[in-house]
Amino acid sequence: MSVSNPLLLIAELSYKCPLHCPYCSNPMTIGDAKYADELSTEDWSRVFREAGELGVLQLALTGGEPLVRKDAEELTRVAKEAGLYSNLITAGTPFTRTRAEALKEAGLDNVQISIQDSDPVSSDHIAGTKSFAKKIEAAHLARELGFPLTINVVLHRKNLDRIEEIIALAEELGARRVELANSQYQGWAAVNREALMPTREQLEHGEQVVIAARERIGPKMELLWVLPDYYEDTPKPCMGGWARDAMVITPNGDVLPCQAASSIPGLEFDNVRDRPLAEIWFESDAMNRFRDFVPEVCKTCPLGRFEVDLGGCRCQALALTGDAGNVDPVCQFSPHHALVTDAVASANRLGRNGDGEFVYRTEKATARV
Amino acid sequence: MTESLRLEVPVLPNGFRLHWDKVRERHVLLFPEGAIGLNPTAASVLELCDGRRTVEDIAAELSQRFGGADVLADVENLLLDLANRGMVADVSQ
Ligand SMILES: C[S@@+](CC[C@H](N)C(=O)[O-])C[C@H]1O[C@@H](n2cnc3c(N)ncnc32)[C@H](O)[C@@H]1O
Ligand code: SF4
Ligand code: SF4
């Protein structure tokens, strides 16, 4: 199969973050010394220009917290010049008036703010730090300056019951789109799975509320409801396929096919400090490793579903079965499918109030877990 | 629930912009969640949706480019279709 040019660049500017969400999809290894060796302003600028040349259309400025980088405004300007549509994915707390105005001026296209819950106390508890009030201020500010606003809420057992209030909050903030993203169990969320996984009842209620809200609100606010794959019996096509449309660049310049790929042993990632981006996209080992790959089970799929789901997520296959080459165990035909159904059964036994302590995301905790 | 779409002075919604994709050699419409490729006709109509020109202005301008042919109905249909998909709005909205 011929390799097409990428459409999306996910730029993880830094893994530093003032928040500590236990569901954070960042890798467990955020505290590793190599990630402290962040790309310079010049490196990122060159990368954005190369990305534009390579046909990338969309740029996500993310992390960690992208705004811990003092040069986020300058990088936004470079992105604009390179023809990229820029989307700032922020927790909101550092989105102050000075910075917001400078970002607007630099040509930032969209602002996405994540909120942990509609209830301030719970939101701060999940974030592991006082942050709710600043997020709300940031959202108002984004609207005041005329940015289109996306609100992102990662859903799990501890906040799903408030989905109605969460939607109402997003409406009040004037979001044009709300991502109600049921937690995927990647990175820190995998360690916290037991504390996060919702019950079937909670999910069904959530879905009802979303359907009713869509009906009531109409086209003025788009509601995206992302089902948790653990509750399905066929997997999701991770990232739209391994290195098909998107690439991720980590704070130190490694180029990955997805945000979790650093967990896969034996993958050698090329770094933008050493090779041009185009060369990495088309030639790097890591990008090519699973590009045309079909897991054994999928070759004889009774549903003939491979073109739809591509056998699911390589990183989830690795995390659960120990081999990234296995079919994603979310699939009902996976010999390891019980790993998923057992986790679901256990979450439902625990019930909506079942606890489980959070392991908060910190650079220090990297070493402990 | 189909709201009757009223389009007099069409404009791209906030956060949407046109872009010439030089790698794929076509215009694309960019927005927060992604991008869609446009055929040359759609691109030439969207280029004129500046929040000042009316649908009639746009049709008249394109008509000139195409040797005086009557394109009003085509332009209206195209714009309504794009409006239904949330890619065009009326400036009053
Ligand atoms: C890793 S964060 C980095 C940007 C910023 N710190 C923030 O939280 O908005 C990128 C996006 O992924 C979402 N996210 C984090 N962990 C997730 C998970 N386990 N499942 C689904 N989405 C997740 C966040 O809510 C955010 O919208
Ligand atoms: S998800 Fe939470 S902890 Fe992770 S980077 Fe975003 S704000 Fe920080
Ligand atoms: S066997 Fe493979 S293609 Fe078939 S449903 Fe499962 S993951 Fe999808």
Side-chain angles (χ1 to χ4, degrees), chain B residues 29-91:
Chain B
L29 185 60
L30 300 176
F31 46 97
E33 306 74 65
I36 52 161
L38 298 169
N39 61 37
T41 319
S44 57
V45 172
L46 285 179
E47 258 169 355
L48 297 172
C49 293
D50 57 1
R52 284 192 304 269
R53 290 178 170 90
T54 63
V55 176
E56 286 75 20
D57 294 341
I58 293 171
E61 230 172 293
L62 289 174
S63 167
Q64 255 183 10
R65 277 190 225 169
F66 298 114
D70 183 5
V71 295
L72 183 60
D74 290 341
V75 169
E76 273 174 352
N77 285 336
L78 180 81
L79 282 172
L80 278 178
D81 177 47
L82 290 169
N84 274 319
R85 295 196 275 158
M87 293 167 193
V88 167
D90 191 83
V91 77

Side-chain angles (χ1 to χ4, degrees), chain A residues 223-236:
Chain A
L223 285 156
L224 185 82
W225 165 255
V226 187
L227 267 178
D229 56 3
Y230 268 59
Y231 274 92
E232 301 189 278
D233 42 27
T234 49
K236 291 185 208 291

Side-chain angles (χ1 to χ4, degrees), chain A residues 101-121:
Chain A
E101 283 173 353
L103 286 161
K104 184 77 194 171
E105 162 81 27
L108 180 66
D109 287 299
N110 190 63
V111 174
Q112 173 174 323
I113 296 177
S114 60
I115 298 182
Q116 280 63 21
D117 201 334
S118 55
D119 175 69
V121 175

Side-chain angles (χ1 to χ4, degrees), chain A residues 73-264:
Chain A
E73 293 83 345
E74 189 177 341
L75 294 178
T76 302
R77 192 179 308 281
V78 175
K80 175 93 184 181
E81 284 160 11
L84 306 177
Y85 187 99
S86 56
N87 195 350
L88 178 73
I89 318 283
T90 176
T93 52
F95 191 77
T96 57
R97 182 169 292 275
T98 321
R99 300 208 71 185
E101 283 173 353
L103 286 161
K104 184 77 194 171
E105 162 81 27
L108 180 66
D109 287 299
N110 190 63
V111 174
Q112 173 174 323
I113 296 177
S114 60
I115 298 182
Q116 280 63 21
D117 201 334
S118 55
D119 175 69
V121 175
S122 169
S123 184
D124 290 348
H125 171 67
I126 295 166
T129 186
K130 212 168 161 52
S131 51
F132 181 79
K134 280 198 178 147
K135 288 167 182 280
I136 300 302
E137 258 175 63
H140 284 306
L141 185 57
R143 294 297 297 126
E144 183 196 318
L145 297 181
F147 284 112
L149 175 67
T150 304
I151 294 290
N152 170 287
V153 184
V154 176
L155 297 172
H156 45 79
R157 189 163 78 226
K158 308 275 165 64
N159 62 7
L160 242 175
D161 290 337
R162 274 181 298 280
I163 186 157
E164 195 136 15
E165 291 88 331
I166 290 172
I167 294 171
L169 175 63
E171 248 185 300
E172 208 179 292
L173 294 174
R176 63 171 284 286
R177 175 180 162 93
V178 197
E179 293 182 0
L180 300 162
N182 277 291
S183 177
Q184 297 287 334
Y185 298 103
Q186 232 118 46
W188 295 79
V191 185
N192 284 296
R193 194 176 72 186
E194 198 167 293
L196 294 171
M197 193 175 298
T199 66
R200 192 174 295 277
E201 203 190 338
Q202 284 183 300
L203 279 170
E204 278 165 7
H205 168 252
E207 187 152 2
Q208 294 301 313
V209 172
V210 171
I211 292 170
R214 278 194 189 127
E215 185 74 15
R216 178 174 60 77
I217 300 168
K220 99 175 175 283
M221 183 172 87
E222 187 191 344
L223 285 156
L224 185 82
W225 165 255
V226 187
L227 267 178
D229 56 3
Y230 268 59
Y231 274 92
E232 301 189 278
D233 42 27
T234 49
K236 291 185 208 291
C238 184
M239 298 293 288
W242 184 274
R244 278 201 185 181
D245 296 327
M247 64 177 134
V248 177
I249 303 185
T250 60
N252 62 319
D254 288 348
V255 184
L256 280 50
C258 81
Q259 277 144 301
S262 58
S263 64
I264 299 183

